[in-house]
Amino acid sequence: MPETIALDFNRPMALFPLPGVVLLPHAVQALHIFEERYRQMIEHALASIEDGNLLSADPIAMASFAPGNSGTMSSEFEPALRPAVCVGKIVQHQRLADGRHNVLLQGVCRARIRKLLEPDTERLYRMALLEPLERVTEPPPSLPGVRSAIRSLLSGPRLGRLAAAPTVLEWIARKDVPTHALLELIGFTLIGDEGTRYRLLAEADALARAQLIRKELGHIDALVCKADEQAWKRWPKGMSWN
């Protein structure tokens, strides 16, 4: 993100839960906003824009539903949310003629729900008081060896075949992409499992996140290896390994 983003954690922030989606800091999520309550959320966020600067719009925290909740409201209660969220800023916005919105939301930082504020007679969407999971005023952690280890994995004969591998290797080669940001982008791009990505979001320690990503990439590498062993050219005649 081109400029420093200041967040006021003393003010409630809008929550936007979306089934199957976990945003990470530095990553960008495309959103199509069509529900009435979330149209209102976007309108409220954009109302705070100053001097035409889109980044001055109010932040929106991407949340996810607790296991067993699909996101559908019951007659009495909203679905339960998982405590960790990713606070994001709108970096691109398109207002459609019928009142819908297309938005790009970029993750800024990870946070935890401290107090949930349910909708009221005027506000249709949930808000929450949040607390940051990391000390944003501290310098990024040193992560020696992480970059080279991930480069080795993605340059290998198996993970190198992933469609996103060339893009990630380009990020690794760029000196203007710090390692802590690189980990977030890798987690968002290569880790498709929602549960694992949520663990990355909820983990406040950057070194622990690095270890989790390396473990997950190793797991993917092992799965590809196993699949290669079952390639049809290696089957005994008329048989498969299944």
Side-chain angles (χ1 to χ4, degrees):
M1 193 168 286
E3 57 185 87
T4 301
I5 301 297
L7 296 172
D8 184 359
F9 284 95
N10 293 313
R11 294 179 55 203
M13 298 186 195
L15 292 178
F16 181 44
L18 197 60
V21 175
V22 177
L23 181 62
L24 295 175
H26 299 280
V28 176
Q29 178 68 51
L31 301 170
H32 178 66
I33 310 297
F34 59 91
E35 286 188 58
E36 182 182 2
R37 53 181 166 170
Y38 297 126
R39 291 188 195 185
Q40 185 195 59
M41 177 191 72
I42 295 296
E43 294 291 350
H44 285 179
L46 296 175
S48 64
I49 289 179
E50 299 176 358
D51 301 323
N53 180 9
L54 193 56
L55 290 178
S56 65
D58 284 344
I60 294 172
M62 285 289 296
S64 57
F65 296 104
N69 288 280
S70 65
T72 303
M73 283 194 298
S74 67
S75 58
E76 298 181 24
F77 302 105
E78 289 265 20
L81 300 177
R82 291 191 278 200
V85 300
C86 183
V87 180
K89 277 285 188 174
I90 297 173
V91 294
Q92 188 171 311
H93 169 254
Q94 178 190 23
R95 191 191 309 275
L96 303 179
D98 60 1
R100 293 173 295 140
H101 302 267
N102 288 326
V103 167
L104 290 182
L105 191 72
Q106 182 163 23
V108 175
C109 71
R110 45 181 49 81
R112 179 189 294 112
I113 295 174
R114 181 162 54 90
K115 181 180 180 181
L116 195 61
L117 305 174
E118 297 291 355
D120 55 35
T121 54
E122 296 183 358
R123 174 175 46 82
L124 304 178
Y125 54 92
R126 286 166 140 176
M127 299 187 75
L129 287 169
L130 306 175
E131 57 184 3
L133 281 174
E134 300 171 278
R135 296 182 179 179
V136 293
T137 57
E138 293 184 354
S142 175
L143 299 165
V146 168
R147 223 175 174 95
S148 59
I150 294 176
R151 182 190 295 111
S152 296
L153 280 169
L154 292 175
S155 300
R158 290 178 290 273
L159 293 188
R161 283 143 52 189
L162 295 175
T167 299
V168 175
L169 287 171
E170 288 181 12
W171 292 339
I172 293 174
R174 287 176 52 178
K175 294 182 179 180
D176 62 332
V177 179
T179 303
H180 72 282
L182 176 67
L183 288 173
E184 310 284 19
L185 295 172
I186 290 173
F188 189 75
T189 304
L190 295 182
I191 309 300
D193 177 69
E194 180 188 359
T196 303
R197 197 184 284 180
Y198 179 77
R199 287 174 61 196
L200 289 171
L201 176 63
E203 178 54 67
D205 183 78
L207 182 57
R209 294 196 296 270
Q211 293 169 344
L212 179 57
I213 287 175
R214 289 174 63 177
K215 181 179 178 181
E216 188 65 18
L217 291 179
H219 177 64
I220 296 172
D221 187 77
L223 288 177
V224 175
C225 181
K226 197 172 187 67
D228 285 348
E229 291 175 353
Q230 300 186 49
W232 66 269
K233 290 182 179 180
R234 301 186 59 184
W235 295 351
K237 188 174 181 179
M239 299 177 63
S240 78
W241 295 109
N242 292 326

